[in-house]
Amino acid sequence: MHGDRNPADKRSQSMSADNFNPKVDAYIENAKPFAQPILTRIRELIHEACPDVTESMKWSMPFFEYRGVNLGNVAAFKAHCRFGFWDRNMTAVLREAKALDSGSPAWLRECRSMADLPPEKLLLSWVRQAAEFIDRGEYQSPMAARNKTAKAKKLAIKMPADFAKALKKNKLATKAFAAFSPGAKRDYLEWITGAKRPETRAERIATATEWISQGKLRHWKYQTK
């Protein structure tokens, strides 16, 4: 048995369980002992930098998705771990930071121990930058055609009755939301309808109503001041 602790046990209490995938837990648990803390820490930092990221398993590797596209993925091998971004914009960012593996346009240098991880502040900034490219609509994916189809489907989201009721009770929020662009409205609708638990949905509706009443967009925390 590898390790003595479930990856889920190490999560911050502020991290939503909705965004963690049990299959990724299992992947980390089954990785080599040296790889488990590396994968766990990268995972934690990604969720810290981009709280709305979700997880999936593709090609037998953990992937981190944001707003319907691949933000990045991790992989564990016999003697090292890898992490990489999918946005081609990040290739230039990482190349400038001299952090890319010499033989790959996407992977960061391989990690054989925790000491090989990039500085945490740097990794957090890279994840935030990758999320910002997605927010601005500048994401460049190798699977562009597939991503366009996914985005087109999102346009059909309807206003949920419980969210509409909450907005109706707040005049400032009602007025501000009506003035938002279709894309800004969709950001909030995706966030609310993406909640998997009733408790999470209620919390997001309350938070959204408060932010909207202040004229804040869904991703206002990541906007450049």
Side-chain angles (χ1 to χ4, degrees):
M1 183 169 71
H2 299 310
D4 57 1
R5 170 163 66 170
N6 189 306
D9 296 337
K10 198 176 178 182
R11 292 175 198 155
S12 166
Q13 302 242 343
S14 63
M15 294 181 180
S16 171
D18 285 345
N19 293 354
F20 286 83
N21 190 322
K23 292 182 179 180
V24 176
D25 289 338
Y27 182 92
I28 295 175
E29 290 173 19
N30 291 322
K32 297 288 185 180
F34 85 90
Q36 291 182 19
I38 299 173
L39 297 174
T40 298
R41 191 58 187 144
I42 292 174
R43 186 189 197 188
E44 289 175 343
L45 292 172
I46 291 172
H47 281 273
E48 180 180 341
C50 186
D52 292 330
V53 77
T54 58
E55 300 177 346
S56 64
M57 291 293 296
K58 301 179 182 180
W59 301 291
S60 300
M61 295 182 291
F63 271 74
F64 302 92
E65 300 176 5
Y66 177 58
R67 300 188 69 182
V69 297
N70 295 323
L71 186 147
N73 71 291
V74 292
F77 302 94
K78 290 183 178 180
H80 68 276
C81 296
R82 307 294 295 270
F83 170 66
F85 291 96
W86 269 59
D87 186 352
R88 286 180 290 175
N89 289 301
M90 290 303 297
T91 299
V93 173
L94 298 173
R95 183 180 294 119
E96 184 176 336
K98 297 181 179 179
L100 281 175
D101 182 276
S102 59
S104 169
W107 291 107
L108 275 70
R109 292 197 185 96
E110 60 185 43
C111 295
R112 297 176 181 272
S113 70
M114 292 289 286
D116 293 330
L117 283 171
E120 293 190 353
K121 288 185 178 180
L122 194 56
L123 187 52
L124 287 168
S125 70
W126 288 338
V127 175
R128 291 186 180 116
Q129 190 161 7
E132 188 173 344
F133 281 130
I134 296 172
D135 287 335
R136 296 203 304 251
E138 298 174 6
Y139 181 82
Q140 296 182 36
S141 169
M143 304 171 72
R146 181 177 177 181
N147 292 331
K148 287 180 180 179
T149 300
K151 289 180 180 179
K153 292 180 180 178
K154 294 183 179 182
L155 298 176
I157 295 179
K158 295 181 179 180
M159 167 66 79
D162 48 358
F163 184 34
K165 184 178 180 180
L167 288 177
K168 189 175 181 180
K169 292 181 179 178
N170 189 314
K171 292 183 179 180
L172 288 176
T174 299
K175 184 176 180 180
F177 192 76
F180 282 173
S181 68
K185 292 178 180 178
R186 189 171 62 252
D187 286 342
Y188 273 111
L189 294 176
E190 287 177 343
W191 187 45
I192 290 169
T193 57
K196 297 179 181 178
R197 297 183 301 157
E199 297 85 354
T200 302
R201 184 184 178 101
E203 290 175 2
R204 290 184 179 182
I205 288 176
T207 300
T209 302
E210 180 181 353
W211 286 352
I212 294 169
S213 68
Q214 299 171 17
K216 294 179 178 179
L217 299 179
R218 165 69 186 92
H219 302 286
W220 63 273
K221 292 182 180 180
Y222 304 113
Q223 291 177 319
T224 303
K225 296 181 180 180

PDB file of all heavy atoms in Angstrom, residues 138-155:
ATOM      1  N   GLU A 138      -9.027  33.896 -24.983  1.00  0.00           N
ATOM      2  CA  GLU A 138      -7.797  33.796 -25.768  1.00  0.00           C
ATOM      3  C   GLU A 138      -7.189  32.393 -25.734  1.00  0.00           C
ATOM      4  O   GLU A 138      -6.073  32.189 -26.212  1.00  0.00           O
ATOM      5  CB  GLU A 138      -6.774  34.811 -25.242  1.00  0.00           C
ATOM      6  CG  GLU A 138      -7.253  36.256 -25.372  1.00  0.00           C
ATOM      7  CD  GLU A 138      -6.299  37.246 -24.730  1.00  0.00           C
ATOM      8  OE1 GLU A 138      -5.207  36.810 -24.284  1.00  0.00           O
ATOM      9  OE2 GLU A 138      -6.641  38.443 -24.655  1.00  0.00           O
ATOM     10  N   TYR A 139      -7.921  31.452 -25.154  1.00  0.00           N
ATOM     11  CA  TYR A 139      -7.422  30.076 -25.026  1.00  0.00           C
ATOM     12  C   TYR A 139      -7.145  29.467 -26.393  1.00  0.00           C
ATOM     13  O   TYR A 139      -7.973  29.545 -27.297  1.00  0.00           O
ATOM     14  CB  TYR A 139      -8.479  29.258 -24.292  1.00  0.00           C
ATOM     15  CG  TYR A 139      -8.139  27.801 -24.050  1.00  0.00           C
ATOM     16  CD1 TYR A 139      -7.338  27.420 -22.995  1.00  0.00           C
ATOM     17  CD2 TYR A 139      -8.665  26.802 -24.868  1.00  0.00           C
ATOM     18  CE1 TYR A 139      -7.056  26.092 -22.744  1.00  0.00           C
ATOM     19  CE2 TYR A 139      -8.388  25.463 -24.628  1.00  0.00           C
ATOM     20  CZ  TYR A 139      -7.579  25.118 -23.564  1.00  0.00           C
ATOM     21  OH  TYR A 139      -7.314  23.796 -23.322  1.00  0.00           O
ATOM     22  N   GLN A 140      -5.972  28.889 -26.560  1.00  0.00           N
ATOM     23  CA  GLN A 140      -5.598  28.237 -27.818  1.00  0.00           C
ATOM     24  C   GLN A 140      -5.331  26.765 -27.543  1.00  0.00           C
ATOM     25  O   GLN A 140      -4.305  26.396 -26.988  1.00  0.00           O
ATOM     26  CB  GLN A 140      -4.338  28.890 -28.395  1.00  0.00           C
ATOM     27  CG  GLN A 140      -4.535  30.345 -28.785  1.00  0.00           C
ATOM     28  CD  GLN A 140      -3.276  30.930 -29.394  1.00  0.00           C
ATOM     29  OE1 GLN A 140      -2.544  30.243 -30.114  1.00  0.00           O
ATOM     30  NE2 GLN A 140      -3.008  32.187 -29.114  1.00  0.00           N
ATOM     31  N   SER A 141      -6.277  25.933 -27.916  1.00  0.00           N
ATOM     32  CA  SER A 141      -6.179  24.508 -27.627  1.00  0.00           C
ATOM     33  C   SER A 141      -5.850  23.708 -28.879  1.00  0.00           C
ATOM     34  O   SER A 141      -6.264  24.059 -29.985  1.00  0.00           O
ATOM     35  CB  SER A 141      -7.502  24.004 -27.059  1.00  0.00           C
ATOM     36  OG  SER A 141      -7.531  22.599 -27.004  1.00  0.00           O
ATOM     37  N   PRO A 142      -5.137  22.584 -28.720  1.00  0.00           N
ATOM     38  CA  PRO A 142      -4.907  21.682 -29.850  1.00  0.00           C
ATOM     39  C   PRO A 142      -6.215  21.069 -30.342  1.00  0.00           C
ATOM     40  O   PRO A 142      -6.277  20.542 -31.446  1.00  0.00           O
ATOM     41  CB  PRO A 142      -3.991  20.594 -29.262  1.00  0.00           C
ATOM     42  CG  PRO A 142      -3.375  21.228 -28.069  1.00  0.00           C
ATOM     43  CD  PRO A 142      -4.420  22.145 -27.521  1.00  0.00           C
ATOM     44  N   MET A 143      -7.259  21.165 -29.519  1.00  0.00           N
ATOM     45  CA  MET A 143      -8.555  20.584 -29.878  1.00  0.00           C
ATOM     46  C   MET A 143      -9.576  21.712 -30.049  1.00  0.00           C
ATOM     47  O   MET A 143     -10.680  21.688 -29.509  1.00  0.00           O
ATOM     48  CB  MET A 143      -8.999  19.605 -28.789  1.00  0.00           C
ATOM     49  CG  MET A 143      -7.979  18.518 -28.525  1.00  0.00           C
ATOM     50  SD  MET A 143      -8.363  17.501 -27.091  1.00  0.00           S
ATOM     51  CE  MET A 143      -9.736  16.553 -27.715  1.00  0.00           C
ATOM     52  N   ALA A 144      -9.190  22.739 -30.813  1.00  0.00           N
ATOM     53  CA  ALA A 144     -10.000  23.945 -30.949  1.00  0.00           C
ATOM     54  C   ALA A 144     -11.415  23.665 -31.452  1.00  0.00           C
ATOM     55  O   ALA A 144     -12.393  24.222 -30.947  1.00  0.00           O
ATOM     56  CB  ALA A 144      -9.304  24.927 -31.889  1.00  0.00           C
ATOM     57  N   ALA A 145     -11.537  22.815 -32.454  1.00  0.00           N
ATOM     58  CA  ALA A 145     -12.857  22.545 -33.020  1.00  0.00           C
ATOM     59  C   ALA A 145     -13.798  21.933 -31.981  1.00  0.00           C
ATOM     60  O   ALA A 145     -14.961  22.299 -31.888  1.00  0.00           O
ATOM     61  CB  ALA A 145     -12.730  21.612 -34.219  1.00  0.00           C
ATOM     62  N   ARG A 146     -13.249  21.022 -31.195  1.00  0.00           N
ATOM     63  CA  ARG A 146     -14.060  20.371 -30.160  1.00  0.00           C
ATOM     64  C   ARG A 146     -14.482  21.380 -29.103  1.00  0.00           C
ATOM     65  O   ARG A 146     -15.614  21.360 -28.614  1.00  0.00           O
ATOM     66  CB  ARG A 146     -13.252  19.248 -29.525  1.00  0.00           C
ATOM     67  CG  ARG A 146     -13.996  18.486 -28.442  1.00  0.00           C
ATOM     68  CD  ARG A 146     -13.142  17.345 -27.930  1.00  0.00           C
ATOM     69  NE  ARG A 146     -13.784  16.643 -26.854  1.00  0.00           N
ATOM     70  CZ  ARG A 146     -13.265  15.612 -26.211  1.00  0.00           C
ATOM     71  NH1 ARG A 146     -12.075  15.158 -26.570  1.00  0.00           N
ATOM     72  NH2 ARG A 146     -13.903  15.027 -25.225  1.00  0.00           N
ATOM     73  N   ASN A 147     -13.577  22.295 -28.746  1.00  0.00           N
ATOM     74  CA  ASN A 147     -13.893  23.287 -27.735  1.00  0.00           C
ATOM     75  C   ASN A 147     -14.966  24.264 -28.204  1.00  0.00           C
ATOM     76  O   ASN A 147     -15.804  24.711 -27.430  1.00  0.00           O
ATOM     77  CB  ASN A 147     -12.633  24.062 -27.345  1.00  0.00           C
ATOM     78  CG  ASN A 147     -11.642  23.188 -26.605  1.00  0.00           C
ATOM     79  OD1 ASN A 147     -12.039  22.239 -25.937  1.00  0.00           O
ATOM     80  ND2 ASN A 147     -10.360  23.481 -26.723  1.00  0.00           N
ATOM     81  N   LYS A 148     -14.952  24.620 -29.495  1.00  0.00           N
ATOM     82  CA  LYS A 148     -15.968  25.527 -30.025  1.00  0.00           C
ATOM     83  C   LYS A 148     -17.349  24.907 -29.927  1.00  0.00           C
ATOM     84  O   LYS A 148     -18.329  25.573 -29.632  1.00  0.00           O
ATOM     85  CB  LYS A 148     -15.646  25.870 -31.483  1.00  0.00           C
ATOM     86  CG  LYS A 148     -14.466  26.820 -31.646  1.00  0.00           C
ATOM     87  CD  LYS A 148     -14.211  27.124 -33.101  1.00  0.00           C
ATOM     88  CE  LYS A 148     -13.028  28.080 -33.263  1.00  0.00           C
ATOM     89  NZ  LYS A 148     -12.744  28.372 -34.675  1.00  0.00           N
ATOM     90  N   THR A 149     -17.438  23.599 -30.185  1.00  0.00           N
ATOM     91  CA  THR A 149     -18.715  22.904 -30.081  1.00  0.00           C
ATOM     92  C   THR A 149     -19.212  22.926 -28.646  1.00  0.00           C
ATOM     93  O   THR A 149     -20.399  23.147 -28.380  1.00  0.00           O
ATOM     94  CB  THR A 149     -18.562  21.436 -30.531  1.00  0.00           C
ATOM     95  OG1 THR A 149     -18.119  21.426 -31.888  1.00  0.00           O
ATOM     96  CG2 THR A 149     -19.882  20.703 -30.426  1.00  0.00           C
ATOM     97  N   ALA A 150     -18.290  22.715 -27.687  1.00  0.00           N
ATOM     98  CA  ALA A 150     -18.666  22.713 -26.277  1.00  0.00           C
ATOM     99  C   ALA A 150     -19.169  24.087 -25.851  1.00  0.00           C
ATOM    100  O   ALA A 150     -20.144  24.199 -25.120  1.00  0.00           O
ATOM    101  CB  ALA A 150     -17.482  22.299 -25.416  1.00  0.00           C
ATOM    102  N   LYS A 151     -18.514  25.152 -26.338  1.00  0.00           N
ATOM    103  CA  LYS A 151     -18.932  26.498 -25.970  1.00  0.00           C
ATOM    104  C   LYS A 151     -20.305  26.833 -26.548  1.00  0.00           C
ATOM    105  O   LYS A 151     -21.112  27.503 -25.926  1.00  0.00           O
ATOM    106  CB  LYS A 151     -17.905  27.524 -26.474  1.00  0.00           C
ATOM    107  CG  LYS A 151     -16.593  27.489 -25.703  1.00  0.00           C
ATOM    108  CD  LYS A 151     -15.634  28.524 -26.237  1.00  0.00           C
ATOM    109  CE  LYS A 151     -14.316  28.495 -25.478  1.00  0.00           C
ATOM    110  NZ  LYS A 151     -13.355  29.491 -26.016  1.00  0.00           N
ATOM    111  N   ALA A 152     -20.575  26.374 -27.749  1.00  0.00           N
ATOM    112  CA  ALA A 152     -21.855  26.657 -28.377  1.00  0.00           C
ATOM    113  C   ALA A 152     -23.008  26.070 -27.573  1.00  0.00           C
ATOM    114  O   ALA A 152     -24.073  26.667 -27.446  1.00  0.00           O
ATOM    115  CB  ALA A 152     -21.875  26.101 -29.792  1.00  0.00           C
ATOM    116  N   LYS A 153     -22.808  24.905 -26.989  1.00  0.00           N
ATOM    117  CA  LYS A 153     -23.857  24.269 -26.205  1.00  0.00           C
ATOM    118  C   LYS A 153     -24.174  25.066 -24.947  1.00  0.00           C
ATOM    119  O   LYS A 153     -25.285  25.033 -24.455  1.00  0.00           O
ATOM    120  CB  LYS A 153     -23.430  22.852 -25.825  1.00  0.00           C
ATOM    121  CG  LYS A 153     -23.340  21.904 -27.007  1.00  0.00           C
ATOM    122  CD  LYS A 153     -22.919  20.520 -26.551  1.00  0.00           C
ATOM    123  CE  LYS A 153     -22.831  19.556 -27.729  1.00  0.00           C
ATOM    124  NZ  LYS A 153     -22.378  18.210 -27.299  1.00  0.00           N
ATOM    125  N   LYS A 154     -23.220  25.793 -24.418  1.00  0.00           N
ATOM    126  CA  LYS A 154     -23.423  26.525 -23.175  1.00  0.00           C
ATOM    127  C   LYS A 154     -24.354  27.723 -23.335  1.00  0.00           C
ATOM    128  O   LYS A 154     -24.883  28.229 -22.362  1.00  0.00           O
ATOM    129  CB  LYS A 154     -22.078  26.999 -22.631  1.00  0.00           C
ATOM    130  CG  LYS A 154     -21.174  25.862 -22.194  1.00  0.00           C
ATOM    131  CD  LYS A 154     -19.911  26.421 -21.608  1.00  0.00           C
ATOM    132  CE  LYS A 154     -18.999  25.294 -21.151  1.00  0.00           C
ATOM    133  NZ  LYS A 154     -17.764  25.795 -20.528  1.00  0.00           N
ATOM    134  N   LEU A 155     -24.566  28.186 -24.549  1.00  0.00           N
ATOM    135  CA  LEU A 155     -25.406  29.344 -24.777  1.00  0.00           C
ATOM    136  C   LEU A 155     -26.873  29.091 -24.443  1.00  0.00           C
ATOM    137  O   LEU A 155     -27.642  30.013 -24.274  1.00  0.00           O
ATOM    138  CB  LEU A 155     -25.281  29.788 -26.244  1.00  0.00           C
ATOM    139  CG  LEU A 155     -23.896  30.232 -26.694  1.00  0.00           C
ATOM    140  CD1 LEU A 155     -23.887  30.545 -28.180  1.00  0.00           C
ATOM    141  CD2 LEU A 155     -23.440  31.445 -25.895  1.00  0.00           C
TER     142      LEU A 155
END
